[in-house]
Amino acid sequence: MFEVLGALQFSNLLAFGALAATPLLALAYLRKRSSKTQVVSSLLILQTLRHKKLVQRKFKPPLRFFFELLALIILIFAASYPSIKEDGKRFAILVDTSMSMRAKNSSGSRFELAKAELIKKVEAAPSSQRYTLYVSSPKLEQVGETHQTQSVILSSLETISPSLSNDTLDTSAIELANSGRFDGVWIFTDKESSQSVDLIGAAKKSQESTELSVTTVGEPLPNFYLSDIRYSSSGDTPSISCTVGASGAPDKGTFGSIRLELYEVDQASGKQIQIRKKQLTLSASSTETSFTLPKTDTGEHLYRLSLNTGSTVGKNSLTEDDSAWISSTRARRDSILVISEQSSSSLGLGNLRGLTSKQIRPQEYGDLPTEELKKYELLIFHRSAPATLPPVASLLVLPPDGNAIFPTILETERPKVTSWSSDHPLTSYLKVPLLRPQASVLFEQPVWAQSVINVEQGSILGAGEQRGIRYAAVGMELFPFEGAKTPSTSILFLNAVSWLSNSKGLSSTALTGSSTRIDAGTTWTITSPNGSEETISVAAEQEATFYPLPAAGVYTFRGENGVREVHTVNTFYPLESTTYSPGSIVLPAEVKRQIVVEESTQVLWPLAILLAFALLLIEMALRLRPSEVEVAA
């Protein structure tokens, strides 16, 4: 009883001031005249009678008076907005659903191990605790309702599964911790974690901070995988090249022997015909190889490359990264034109696998006709800018002062990123807080563009669309492109290339978990890799939408007037495929919250109003009840 009273909270204590008016109800009954009639013979006797009543009358309220009084007190109680504070703590459960969680051995997959650990931890916790379930890949997403009971949250686990893409687990965990909705965040992953309490300063554990707990599952598992595929039509003989990766402990200088098989896919029937095969002994963690293709017509050809482990069974813990698809027609379209005073080698353009690039000087750009520019999938202006919007999707890297497309307003040194648009494709898989440019240029965004990444002084990344063509500008240096040596800027650059080249279609470098654009005023019937069909129609007056690509394989788009496009999607995530040496995340043991956690309460005022209404109905019934009538003799 005392525990319940101690948990009571009132949002409007001033309402209790109305209790001072309750004596007025008694006064109203005191002043009420009696309905009994008495006959007297003279005025003298009447005056005596009244005087006697005033002196001797006692207040004997009827039963309905108590119902009215109780109803009035309950209504005053309801006006104070009472609630009961729930004592149970609230936790966010973040499950790593990236591709590496699919890795398995004889004991099962890492994802199953994570679920088993999660179930044990929830069942061992107090039953008063409440949980909210989240998955990390392809993006942070809530599963089910907020603050669920133990039984509900465990049943929700059956609805989730690992994706075929990567994630930003540490960024997602910090985002949940800073949301102000949880006392703690439980993380279940195959990644190694290092935690430090020093990152939170003097935050008080119970009031100002959210605890982060990481449970790491799984053991190092060997794996073979494909991390790249490229089509080349240079010369008379086309070819396909690829990169094969190996994750594990080498035995006598080699990781093992695998067989690569190349198939041509009949687009009408889906039948696959093997046209090439090759046996490889992998002596390095990354090996490049190629196949010369048979001479064919210049039409579109679709190919699938498959990695066959053969006798190395048990050394390939992840099979979802063993195949890759590529289209000859779309691969030929993946060319970019770079406009820069610097040479292509100093820009690192040779490291852009799957893309062919040509570099020209800014003064040469003005001499190129529109038809020539349209041969390229993307234009990149490095420390330069065109006078008008180009007819092709374009990326401006550090555009100069005075440009008319993304006007610059300020230059700053060592800016600090303060905010960003987490749902924009340009920030996909990007750990934005890790962007630490030495210098940057701030933009004034055109009316047709939006700011995607901001620093303290303004925007350093803007993007938008005009007449169905996409444009973006970034105010920090992205070159030279060095891949894994500069992961943050490399991911940002590849995101920009992927998003911009999607203006009219899908680049052959598309990855699982990405999306393709469906323009306004178009209708497409889309066949997914599993054979299912879906029709997407976007009205002319609506905004363009994006169609998700969660699975690897071939997507066929059939539009109006017989238009047909084939897009290939692959699982090229080397960090997820290196299952023998899982990635690592760095998290604080606690995070000082910017927002105070809202207390979980159960409101009582609706119940109080219903109770008061019931009492008034009873009082009304008593009022309408027939009263006894006295008959004079």
Side-chain angles (χ1 to χ4, degrees):
M1 177 65 179
F2 292 105
E3 292 180 359
V4 174
L5 292 176
L8 271 177
Q9 300 180 91
F10 302 96
S11 301
N12 181 24
L13 290 174
L14 294 177
F16 287 108
L19 288 173
T22 53
L24 295 177
L25 182 64
L27 182 61
Y29 273 87
L30 281 172
R31 294 179 62 86
K32 188 174 182 181
R33 294 180 179 272
S34 174
S35 61
K36 184 177 180 181
T37 302
Q38 288 184 323
V39 181
V40 295
S41 59
S42 69
L43 185 59
L44 183 61
I45 297 174
L46 178 60
Q47 290 176 343
T48 304
L49 179 63
R50 287 179 175 174
H51 178 73
K52 183 179 180 180
K53 287 290 183 181
L54 288 172
V55 174
Q56 297 181 359
R57 178 185 295 176
K58 293 183 178 179
F59 180 49
K60 294 182 179 180
L63 181 59
R64 57 191 177 88
F65 165 82
F66 295 102
F67 282 98
E68 292 173 0
L69 179 62
L70 184 58
L72 178 60
I73 294 174
I74 292 176
L75 286 174
I76 294 173
F77 177 76
S80 69
Y81 294 106
S83 59
I84 295 179
K85 178 183 176 182
E86 296 180 355
D87 293 330
K89 290 186 176 181
R90 292 166 298 165
F91 291 87
I93 297 177
L94 178 57
V95 181
D96 185 346
T97 51
S98 61
M99 186 171 67
S100 63
M101 295 294 282
R102 292 175 175 265
K104 59 185 177 181
N105 56 14
S106 58
S107 301
S109 70
R110 291 176 175 175
F111 183 72
E112 294 298 328
L113 292 175
K115 286 206 303 184
E117 291 296 323
L118 193 162
I119 291 171
K120 285 196 299 183
K121 189 165 185 176
V122 170
E123 289 180 341
S127 59
S128 60
Q129 290 185 173
R130 295 295 180 262
Y131 308 94
T132 306
L133 181 63
Y134 291 88
V135 294
S136 65
S137 178
K139 63 179 181 179
L140 180 65
E141 186 175 357
Q142 181 176 325
V143 179
E145 299 296 326
T146 305
H147 306 321
Q148 296 297 308
T149 61
Q150 183 183 95
S151 59
V152 173
I153 208 68
L154 293 181
S155 63
S156 298
L157 288 178
E158 302 303 320
T159 65
I160 65 174
S161 59
S163 71
L164 290 172
S165 59
N166 64 355
D167 62 10
T168 52
L169 191 66
D170 44 3
T171 304
S172 298
I174 297 297
E175 181 180 338
L176 291 175
N178 276 323
S179 68
R181 300 167 58 197
F182 307 106
D183 298 287
V185 179
W186 293 352
I187 305 159
F188 296 86
T189 178
D190 62 342
K191 298 176 176 62
E192 297 292 337
S193 169
S194 58
Q195 293 184 295
S196 171
V197 182
D198 297 335
L199 296 179
I200 65 162
K204 295 179 181 179
K205 177 181 281 190
S206 60
Q207 299 294 330
E208 301 176 12
S209 62
T210 297
E211 296 182 51
L212 282 80
S213 169
V214 181
T215 301
T216 301
V217 299
E219 58 184 15
L221 297 173
N223 186 46
F224 296 104
Y225 59 94
L226 294 169
S227 63
D228 186 32
I229 187 170
R230 303 177 298 280
Y231 176 90
S232 174
S233 58
S234 59
D236 297 331
T237 306
S239 64
I240 285 180
S241 56
C242 68
T243 302
V244 182
S247 177
D251 181 18
K252 298 179 180 179
T254 67
F255 291 91
S257 179
I258 55 99
R259 185 171 73 249
L260 282 176
E261 300 169 346
L262 181 64
Y263 298 83
E264 183 167 1
V265 183
D266 186 281
Q267 299 186 37
S269 64
K271 184 178 180 181
Q272 301 183 20
I273 303 172
Q274 187 180 109
I275 57 175
R276 294 285 187 272
K277 63 180 179 179
K278 178 183 293 188
Q279 196 77 20
L280 285 180
T281 298
L282 303 177
S283 56
S285 59
S286 181
T287 303
E288 293 196 14
T289 188
S290 62
F291 292 94
T292 300
L293 299 175
K295 292 184 178 181
T296 59
D297 57 81
T298 57
E300 183 174 32
H301 294 269
L302 186 62
Y303 301 96
R304 181 177 76 90
L305 186 63
S306 177
L307 187 155
N308 191 328
T309 57
S311 60
T312 58
V313 176
K315 293 187 177 181
N316 191 34
S317 59
L318 192 62
T319 59
E320 287 79 4
D321 53 8
D322 292 349
S323 294
W325 288 261
I326 195 167
S327 166
S328 61
T329 302
R330 299 210 62 81
R332 283 195 293 270
R333 290 182 57 199
D334 291 337
S335 57
I336 60 177
L337 177 65
V338 180
I339 301 93
S340 175
E341 290 287 356
Q342 297 184 24
S343 64
S344 58
S345 59
S346 64
L347 296 175
L349 300 181
N351 297 323
L352 293 173
R353 294 177 177 176
L355 295 171
T356 35
S357 62
K358 179 181 179 181
Q359 187 260 333
I360 62 173
R361 296 183 180 276
Q363 54 267 33
E364 298 177 74
Y365 172 78
D367 298 330
L368 294 178
T370 299
E371 291 304 316
E372 180 68 20
L373 293 175
K374 288 184 177 180
K375 293 180 181 179
Y376 296 95
E377 194 77 6
L378 174 66
L379 307 182
I380 297 179
F381 294 86
H382 177 244
R383 297 183 181 271
S384 63
T388 59
L389 287 173
V392 180
S394 303
L395 172 65
L396 283 66
V397 180
L398 289 170
D401 187 23
N403 81 88
I405 300 177
F406 285 87
T408 59
I409 57 175
L410 181 68
E411 293 185 8
T412 181
E413 294 185 359
R414 299 184 181 277
K416 180 181 179 182
V417 174
T418 55
S419 63
W420 61 91
S421 177
S422 59
D423 57 349
H424 198 285
L426 288 175
T427 58
S428 296
Y429 319 117
L430 177 63
K431 299 179 180 179
V432 181
L434 297 183
L435 289 174
R436 297 186 177 91
Q438 296 297 313
S440 68
V441 174
L442 308 184
F443 304 114
E444 178 183 341
Q445 297 300 331
V447 294
W448 46 267
Q450 71 173 98
S451 178
V452 180
I453 298 180
N454 301 295
V455 295
E456 293 171 330
Q457 299 88 345
S459 172
I460 62 166
L461 175 58
E465 182 177 316
Q466 275 284 76
R467 301 185 302 276
I469 302 174
R470 295 179 181 176
Y471 303 95
V474 58
M476 56 180 288
E477 184 62 87
L478 300 182
F479 296 110
F481 178 82
E482 297 180 310
K485 293 182 179 179
T486 54
S488 297
T489 54
S490 296
I491 291 174
L492 178 57
F493 177 76
L494 292 176
N495 283 347
V497 171
S498 176
W499 182 74
L500 290 165
S501 63
N502 264 351
S503 295
K504 293 297 181 183
L506 180 67
S507 169
S508 62
T509 57
L511 301 177
T512 48
S514 60
S515 60
T516 184
R517 176 188 174 86
I518 306 294
D519 288 318
T522 60
T523 299
W524 295 90
T525 299
I526 305 168
T527 304
S528 299
N530 62 5
S532 63
E533 286 193 355
E534 182 179 4
T535 299
I536 303 294
S537 182
V538 183
E541 63 274 10
Q542 293 180 327
E543 293 185 358
T545 187
F546 289 87
Y547 184 79
L549 306 167
V554 180
Y555 289 79
T556 304
F557 288 65
R558 297 193 304 276
E560 300 170 342
N561 302 321
V563 177
R564 182 177 181 274
E565 293 186 4
V566 174
H567 307 308
T568 56
V569 181
N570 294 305
T571 55
F572 295 151
Y573 295 104
L575 292 179
E576 298 293 329
S577 296
T578 53
T579 53
Y580 195 81
S581 302
S584 61
I585 55 175
V586 179
L587 291 171
E590 301 172 3
V591 171
K592 187 173 183 179
R593 291 193 291 260
Q594 303 298 319
I595 307 173
V596 178
V597 173
E598 300 173 358
E599 294 180 343
S600 180
T601 58
Q602 180 179 358
V603 294
L604 299 178
W605 64 265
L607 181 62
I609 290 178
L610 289 176
L611 180 58
F613 182 72
L615 290 172
L616 291 175
L617 288 178
I618 296 173
E619 187 273 339
M620 186 179 295
L622 293 174
R623 182 189 295 270
L624 297 176
R625 186 183 64 177
S627 59
E628 296 181 0
V629 180
E630 294 185 5
V631 181

